[in-house]
Amino acid sequence: MLGLRIRRIEIYVNTNGGRFSTSIPFKDGLNIIRAENSSGKSTCINSVAYGLGLESILGPSRKRPFPKSLYEVIYDNKTEETPYFVNRSSVSISIENSNGKSAILNRDILGDDNKVSVVTDNQSSDYFLGSAGNVGSAVSEKGFHNWLASFIGWSLPNVVTFEGKETKLYLECIFPLFFIEQKRGWSEIQANSPTHYGIKNLKKSAAEFCLGIDSFEHEKKLAKLKHQIETYESDWNGLKSFSESVADFNEVKVSRLGSIDTKDLLPRIEFSYLENDVFVSVYEQKKSLKRLIDKLAIDVAQKSPGDEVLNSKLAAIRVLRRQAEECSRSIEVTMLSISDAESKLATLRHDYDQYQQLKRLRGVGSDISNNLDTEKCPICESDLYDTLGNTSTKRRPMSLDENIAFLKNQLDFFASIRDKSLRQLQDLKSEYKLVLSRMEVERESIEAHRSDLEDINGEVKTILREKIQAESLLKDVQKLKETQDELNERATSLHSSWTTTSDSLKQLKRGRSVANRALVIRKLESLIKSNLEEFGFKTSAVNSVTVSQQTLRPEQEGYDIVAETSASDYIRIIWSYTLSLMELAGAEDSVKHGGFVVFDEPRQHEASKVSFTNLITKAAQSSKYCGQVIFATSLDEEELRISCKDKEVNLVCFDEYILTLNPDTEENVKA
């Protein structure tokens, strides 16, 4: 479906000495604006994009895509160049959609440039460009791009940004497929696609929309599921960090939570207290404290003597001290082991890199035999043998590839030793910290107990204090148990959600249909090849051109064709691709197209006259399917007329500036 046709463009510039203006009509098929350089051709071409509110497709920093003659000073001719000062300028575009409905778009250039006045059925309505608060022009009922998309007959899909959010596939993202401006447009297909929207796979999404390949919802679902999975994994890692922080705050040990893709979710989050050289769970600690509290209640009633308690606590201190010493020695040994492993790894990496470099030299044809002296030991310069015992049989040491493989195995081996030692070191430090904390608690308890024994009622006070401490600890244990249960409940929920979402993602990837996609791509590929032949491509080169299933752009033997062809050839590829897309839309209702193609100076890089003449022929044939092509060129007029001979071409030529002075208009008096 071809969405629009341009029927006329008009540009007005009000000055202190009169109004400058131009009016250029357009027909179906090929329209050519011919003028010398610096006469206003690009101004006319850019006014098409500007009038449609699509100036961003003219390239970056093209918010004002016109010369100063439309903003500041304009001259009446190229010889006298009398200056006139601009006080207002505007553009008016007459358009028609595929249903035959007409509209006139009026937009200020110098003036209120964020407003577009639309005249339909002799009624004028104003629409805004840009955004109004959080609502943009493509969404709001008062937004011009929302109106324009509806006028064309398009329902713009939602696509995914790099942040995983949804946004519209804006018109500015689609029209670079149809509009090739002079400065950057010929550098590649879709050269001026805007990136500031942050849309993921922008060029591919625009091409898919035009080709009618319904994958937007599929891609959106894929992106949504991937984002959910990333969120679950992030929450899972946060849960692990939080559980370790809770353990550190409560001075307990925690079992590390496994990976989220672990099927059985083992090990679960479990906090453990160190009691008498043994780690006990929060459940066991809770039971133990309850028994202790009950016992202390009985001891208070019986006024148990305190000496036995003191001796018991002193014995516990001795046990904890021995345990701390053992942890300290183990930490020291483990750190030495890590240091030794790191040293070996550094040496192995150096040797591995050296051998890799030698292998690379050998691969490019260098003789590396001088760098591999395997006859002598590099330390003592003794002969090398394959055994330490019997030196009667001499054998050449390992080859270069064997050395590389051996060093790689050694690197993996010592890396595993280091990583295992690092994990052991972390566990030992945690245990050492817990032991020191317990020792401090026991010391404070002993000091308090000794102080109480000096009091006449010290025995009872000691028991009561211990009972109070046990009751307080029981409350802490109960809170820790509740936290543990909550964390495990959250872990179970996250694991379940992650598993379900991962399964959905796998099914969605498997369920994607490619039949319709492949058919449309084959049709586009066939049209491109046909056009390339007409534009003078070699037959062998044409046969190697395909349309990528991934990017939907032309490629040659699996590579982006821009890197594989000359500049003039790539210009012809842009011609072929752009015109093929419009021709396909003219034949297929499911394929969407803006309805017109704009080429500013299409004969780039000295494309041959024959190729350019064939381009004119092909573009003129677009009238057969109601397509429209607009050229702007500075080619010699006589040469151009010869190329257009016997062809249906609307050729509009200018010898002077395209914008001419009309000093007697009423508008000038008002200005």
Side-chain angles (χ1 to χ4, degrees):
M1 181 186 74
L2 300 173
L4 290 178
R5 287 184 292 278
I6 309 297
R7 291 311 182 196
R8 181 178 295 274
I9 59 171
E10 297 176 342
I11 304 174
Y12 303 101
V13 182
N14 291 351
T15 73
N16 61 328
R19 167 181 276 190
F20 288 76
S21 65
T22 190
S23 179
I24 303 176
F26 294 101
K27 301 178 181 179
D28 287 355
L30 178 58
N31 303 267
I32 301 179
I33 302 172
R34 189 272 161 197
E36 297 295 331
N37 290 326
S38 302
S39 298
K41 299 187 309 300
S42 293
T43 297
C44 295
I45 290 297
N46 291 350
S47 67
V48 175
Y50 185 82
L52 296 172
L54 301 173
E55 59 268 26
S56 63
I57 69 174
L58 301 175
S61 67
R62 299 302 298 275
K63 293 182 179 180
R64 302 181 71 174
F66 298 108
K68 66 179 182 179
S69 58
L70 272 66
Y71 295 105
E72 300 174 9
V73 178
I74 189 170
Y75 298 93
D76 56 352
N77 59 66
K78 295 184 178 181
T79 55
E80 296 181 4
E81 291 195 344
T82 302
Y84 294 83
F85 297 99
V86 179
N87 53 54
R88 188 165 186 175
S89 56
S90 62
V91 61
S92 177
I93 304 181
S94 299
I95 59 175
E96 181 182 315
N97 65 13
S98 58
N99 295 324
K101 187 173 182 178
S102 299
I104 300 174
L105 314 178
N106 299 304
R107 184 183 178 192
D108 285 349
I109 297 172
L110 179 61
D112 191 359
D113 59 355
N114 287 321
K115 180 189 72 175
V116 179
S117 297
V118 178
V119 180
T120 55
D121 301 326
N122 295 321
Q123 293 184 346
S124 179
S125 301
D126 290 339
Y127 296 90
F128 70 86
L129 287 167
S131 61
N134 295 324
V135 181
S137 171
V139 177
S140 171
E141 292 181 358
K142 294 295 183 180
F144 174 67
H145 283 167
N146 183 35
W147 176 88
L148 182 58
S150 177
F151 186 79
I152 295 174
W154 289 351
S155 177
L156 298 177
N158 286 333
V159 289
V160 180
T161 67
F162 287 104
E163 296 177 351
K165 300 178 181 178
E166 289 189 17
T167 188
K168 285 282 186 185
L169 182 65
Y170 298 105
L171 292 175
E172 301 101 304
C173 304
I174 301 169
F175 270 81
L177 284 163
F178 324 135
F179 200 108
I180 316 298
E181 57 88 29
Q182 180 182 0
K183 291 189 176 181
R184 295 180 72 254
W186 297 103
S187 60
E188 65 165 321
I189 295 171
Q190 298 169 277
N192 289 325
S193 295
T195 58
H196 59 273
Y197 292 117
I199 295 175
K200 194 174 183 180
N201 299 322
L202 170 60
K203 295 181 179 180
K204 177 184 176 183
S205 297
E208 284 182 332
F209 172 76
C210 291
L211 291 173
I213 301 171
D214 188 18
S215 65
F216 293 106
E217 288 300 320
H218 185 273
E219 294 294 333
K220 187 168 70 175
K221 290 178 181 177
L222 280 176
K224 186 176 181 180
L225 290 175
K226 290 178 180 178
H227 181 67
Q228 287 178 343
I229 289 173
E230 291 174 357
T231 301
Y232 293 143
E233 291 174 348
S234 177
D235 290 347
W236 184 268
N237 292 329
L239 195 66
K240 293 169 68 175
S241 298
F242 180 72
S243 64
E244 292 172 359
S245 298
V246 169
D248 189 58
F249 178 79
N250 288 274
E251 297 181 340
V252 295
K253 183 181 179 181
V254 62
S255 60
R256 291 184 180 85
L257 194 63
S259 174
I260 195 170
D261 57 1
T262 305
K263 292 183 179 180
D264 54 6
L265 258 185
L266 291 176
R268 291 168 58 86
I269 296 174
E270 287 190 0
F271 298 112
S272 303
Y273 290 86
L274 182 61
E275 294 292 340
N276 298 324
D277 202 20
V278 177
F279 285 101
V280 297
S281 68
V282 290
Y283 302 100
E284 294 170 342
Q285 183 76 342
K286 182 179 177 181
K287 292 178 182 178
S288 176
L289 285 171
K290 284 184 175 180
R291 288 195 297 269
L292 176 60
I293 291 169
D294 292 340
K295 178 181 179 300
L296 291 173
I298 296 173
D299 289 345
V300 169
Q302 296 177 351
K303 298 182 180 180
S304 301
D307 292 340
E308 294 179 4
V309 175
L310 181 61
N311 293 332
S312 174
K313 291 183 180 295
L314 290 171
I317 283 286
R318 289 192 292 271
V319 171
L320 289 170
R321 187 179 293 113
R322 286 195 299 271
Q323 190 173 352
E325 291 172 354
E326 291 175 1
C327 283
S328 179
R329 286 194 296 271
S330 298
I331 288 173
E332 184 177 354
V333 170
T334 305
M335 291 179 68
L336 288 173
S337 175
I338 293 171
S339 177
D340 186 47
E342 289 287 2
S343 177
K344 287 185 172 62
L345 283 170
T347 302
L348 288 168
R349 289 192 196 99
H350 176 269
D351 292 348
Y352 184 76
D353 290 341
Q354 293 295 317
Y355 276 99
Q356 287 282 28
Q357 294 169 35
L358 290 173
K359 183 178 179 180
R360 176 58 179 161
L361 285 173
R362 187 181 66 182
V364 298
S366 175
D367 183 7
I368 63 170
S369 58
N370 293 332
N371 296 318
L372 288 174
D373 184 6
T374 57
E375 300 292 330
K376 300 286 185 179
C377 173
I379 305 299
C380 65
E381 298 186 355
S382 301
D383 290 340
L384 290 176
Y385 298 93
D386 64 339
T387 176
L388 295 175
N390 183 9
T391 60
S392 59
T393 302
K394 184 176 180 181
R395 188 181 69 182
R396 189 177 186 83
M398 290 187 294
S399 67
L400 180 60
D401 289 333
E402 289 172 339
N403 270 292
I404 290 174
F406 174 76
L407 289 170
K408 181 63 171 63
N409 289 333
Q410 289 294 296
L411 279 169
D412 294 340
F413 174 71
F414 281 104
S416 66
I417 292 176
R418 179 202 56 196
D419 294 342
K420 181 179 179 181
S421 298
L422 285 170
R423 291 192 295 271
Q424 289 175 346
L425 180 62
Q426 185 176 355
D427 291 339
L428 286 169
K429 286 183 176 180
S430 177
E431 182 178 349
Y432 185 65
K433 183 177 179 180
L434 290 174
V435 171
L436 293 180
S437 175
R438 184 62 185 276
M439 285 175 64
E440 185 62 27
V441 171
E442 292 295 339
R443 287 194 186 98
E444 291 176 357
S445 178
I446 288 173
E447 291 300 322
H449 190 72
R450 283 173 173 168
S451 177
D452 290 340
L453 288 177
E454 295 175 359
D455 194 321
I456 189 170
N457 295 317
E459 296 179 15
V460 176
K461 288 182 179 180
T462 300
I463 297 172
L464 287 173
R465 182 180 290 108
E466 190 171 353
K467 183 173 180 292
I468 292 170
Q469 291 175 345
E471 289 172 344
S472 177
L473 181 58
L474 180 61
K475 290 180 181 179
D476 293 339
V477 172
Q478 179 62 31
K479 290 180 181 178
L480 189 61
K481 175 184 173 299
E482 293 172 358
T483 301
Q484 176 178 292
D485 293 341
E486 290 174 2
L487 290 174
N488 280 315
E489 183 179 350
R490 175 62 177 155
T492 301
S493 175
L494 280 174
H495 181 268
S496 176
S497 299
W498 182 90
T499 302
T500 302
T501 307
S502 297
D503 291 342
S504 299
L505 181 62
K506 293 176 183 176
Q507 293 176 4
L508 191 62
K509 287 181 177 179
R510 289 195 298 266
R512 184 175 183 179
S513 174
V514 296
N516 181 57
R517 181 188 185 90
L519 178 62
V520 172
I521 291 175
R522 283 199 300 271
K523 290 180 178 179
L524 178 63
E525 187 177 291
S526 176
L527 288 172
I528 292 172
K529 288 183 175 182
S530 175
N531 286 340
L532 286 174
E533 289 179 354
E534 290 189 37
F535 299 153
F537 246 57
K538 293 180 180 179
T539 303
S540 58
V542 170
N543 291 335
S544 66
V545 174
T546 58
V547 174
S548 169
Q549 293 280 346
Q550 285 70 40
T551 65
L552 302 179
R553 291 150 62 93
E555 62 180 16
Q556 197 168 31
E557 298 178 353
Y559 292 92
D560 192 307
I561 204 165
V562 68
E564 296 297 315
T565 58
S566 64
S568 59
D569 279 347
Y570 192 64
I571 295 304
R572 289 182 285 177
I573 290 166
I574 295 178
W575 295 349
S576 301
Y577 183 84
T578 308
L579 293 177
S580 296
L581 195 59
M582 184 172 66
E583 185 175 352
L584 185 61
E588 302 283 342
D589 290 338
S590 61
V591 179
K592 307 175 189 66
H593 193 278
F596 63 91
V597 166
V598 175
F599 288 162
D600 192 358
E601 294 290 3
R603 191 180 172 188
Q604 296 280 321
H605 298 289
E606 299 300 323
S608 68
K609 293 181 181 180
V610 174
S611 296
F612 185 69
T613 300
N614 291 342
L615 171 65
I616 290 176
T617 302
K618 185 66 179 179
Q621 292 171 355
S622 62
S623 61
K624 296 179 180 179
Y625 51 86
C626 298
Q628 188 180 58
V629 182
I630 301 172
F631 286 0
T633 181
S634 57
L635 287 176
D636 179 75
E637 183 176 344
E638 185 62 28
E639 179 184 339
L640 191 59
R641 290 189 181 278
I642 293 173
S643 297
C644 295
K645 186 178 180 180
D646 299 328
K647 300 180 180 67
E648 291 292 331
V649 179
N650 176 32
L651 179 58
V652 183
C653 297
F654 296 90
D655 296 324
E656 263 286 347
Y657 288 130
I658 293 178
L659 287 167
T660 57
L661 178 62
N662 305 297
D664 298 325
T665 58
E666 293 183 8
E667 289 80 1
N668 296 324
V669 176
K670 294 179 182 178

